[in-house]
Amino acid sequence: MFGRWLGNRGQAGGRSGALAGFQVPRTAGVLSCRVLDPVNEPVPQAEFVVTDSAGRRVTGGETDPFGRVLATVPAGDHRLAVTAEGFTPFHGAVTVTEGVHAHLGDVTLQVAQLPPLPDPGDWDIEPNHSQIGFTARHIGLARIHGRFNTFAGAVRIADRMEDSAMHVVIDAASIDTNVQMRDDHLRSSDFLDVGRYPTLEFYSERFVHRGGSRWGVTGALTLHGVSRTVTLDTQYLGIGTGLEGETRAACRATTELHREDFTLTWQTMLARGIAVVGPSIVIDLDIQIVPKG
């Protein structure tokens, strides 16, 4: 397929058309294509990655609203990977020549087979193969990554997946950023105040299918004595079998919290010059569940 596309080349500069006047470094060329679904509609916001012959990432991004990819890359042999929710990933090889536009034509993505859902019933979160982590987006000049080491939870899978429910309890004192002094501050009354609020809890209210393997799980998160509605952007990963033959299901989920929503202002710490965490925190969950024993 790529060999056919490479027959449709033109100089990257000095010509009319969409790339007229497009400045390309002397040792580079231009790679482009259009990403379509099986009925020839463009696929916007598909993710693409270009790697070199050693497998190193060269560039990447998302397709535009018309499904187009346009990238300037060093001359040489490359591989293009295109992924989009609900479709089978595409991988192909292409050679880019100095000063030449390698127009790859149309890349048609095929609809992916969806993984089977867990059987209806009660399931437990398996903590040894699960993780609840977080990233503070603005901490002075750097990001802080941390996790909660102790948590438990249960999921009730309904006959209709949208009617399922989830409950997660997190031990606030188990917060861990790998810096003892910072963790002590985070457990104090300036932040989580674990003496008064020993747990964080999430109760789901609804599951919404967003297409493909994507789900939105919306519910009430209680933190620091305050409850707010949050939505977990969830990717369902499917069902597998553990080392002892037990059935497992897995998902990844993320959400963003704003500390002011939970009355976490921490003025005392800021007054002392301790920039503990910025205004937003990204929560990442990697969860495996097993049938309730």
Side-chain angles (χ1 to χ4, degrees):
M1 183 177 291
F2 269 83
R4 171 176 61 81
W5 289 332
L6 292 180
N8 184 13
R9 298 188 189 180
Q11 290 298 318
R15 67 185 189 283
S16 61
L19 296 180
F22 192 79
Q23 298 298 314
V24 179
R26 183 179 58 82
T27 59
V30 175
L31 180 155
S32 70
C33 69
R34 186 174 61 153
V35 180
L36 304 176
D37 66 16
V39 294
N40 293 324
E41 290 295 321
V43 182
Q45 296 183 311
E47 296 184 1
F48 72 89
V49 175
V50 179
T51 54
D52 63 16
S53 57
R56 296 173 298 223
R57 178 187 171 103
V58 175
T59 189
E62 293 185 344
T63 56
D64 69 15
F66 304 97
R68 295 178 300 193
V69 171
L70 178 64
T72 302
V73 298
D77 295 329
H78 298 280
R79 289 192 63 81
L80 172 68
V82 182
T83 57
E85 179 61 34
F87 295 96
T88 300
F90 171 87
H91 299 274
V94 59
T95 298
V96 176
T97 305
E98 291 182 5
V100 172
H101 174 203
H103 179 54
L104 311 181
D106 293 339
V107 169
T108 300
L109 301 181
Q110 302 301 317
V111 175
Q113 183 176 0
L114 298 181
L117 295 173
D119 289 336
D122 291 328
W123 297 65
D124 287 326
I125 292 178
E126 209 285 278
N128 292 329
H129 294 89
S130 301
Q131 179 171 295
I132 298 178
F134 61 87
T135 303
R137 291 202 165 187
H138 303 288
I139 315 273
L141 298 177
R143 293 186 177 188
I144 286 179
H145 299 273
R147 62 188 180 273
F148 290 95
N149 291 324
T150 305
F151 54 88
V155 182
R156 173 161 291 176
I157 304 297
D159 291 331
R160 180 175 176 268
M161 190 66 184
E162 286 81 354
D163 297 328
S164 300
M166 178 172 64
H167 178 210
V168 179
V169 180
I170 302 170
D171 177 8
S174 72
I175 193 168
D176 183 358
T177 66
N178 207 33
V179 177
Q180 183 65 45
M181 181 179 295
R182 181 167 58 214
D183 293 343
D184 289 341
H185 283 145
L186 294 174
R187 296 185 186 105
S188 75
S189 59
D190 288 324
F191 183 24
L192 292 176
D193 197 359
V194 300
R196 295 177 61 194
Y197 310 107
T199 62
L200 292 72
E201 293 196 50
F202 176 78
Y203 286 91
S204 73
E205 297 170 352
R206 62 182 182 276
F207 283 52
V208 177
H209 190 211
R210 292 178 168 175
S213 60
R214 293 282 180 180
W215 290 79
V217 181
T218 299
L221 174 66
T222 301
L223 188 165
H224 201 250
V226 178
S227 294
R228 293 286 185 267
T229 298
V230 301
T231 297
L232 302 176
D233 181 11
T234 305
Q235 181 184 13
Y236 175 61
L237 302 177
I239 296 175
T241 303
L243 293 177
E244 298 180 0
E246 74 281 9
T247 299
R248 295 173 175 270
C251 70
R252 287 195 295 262
T254 185
T255 192
E256 184 169 343
L257 308 180
H258 298 277
R259 58 180 174 83
E260 292 86 355
D261 291 343
F262 296 91
T263 67
L264 300 174
T265 57
W266 315 325
Q267 294 302 321
T268 301
M269 300 181 74
L270 295 174
R272 297 202 304 263
I274 304 172
V276 177
V277 70
S280 62
I281 304 168
V282 175
I283 307 294
D284 294 298
L285 303 93
D286 285 281
I287 300 296
Q288 289 191 22
I289 58 174
V290 295
K292 191 174 184 66

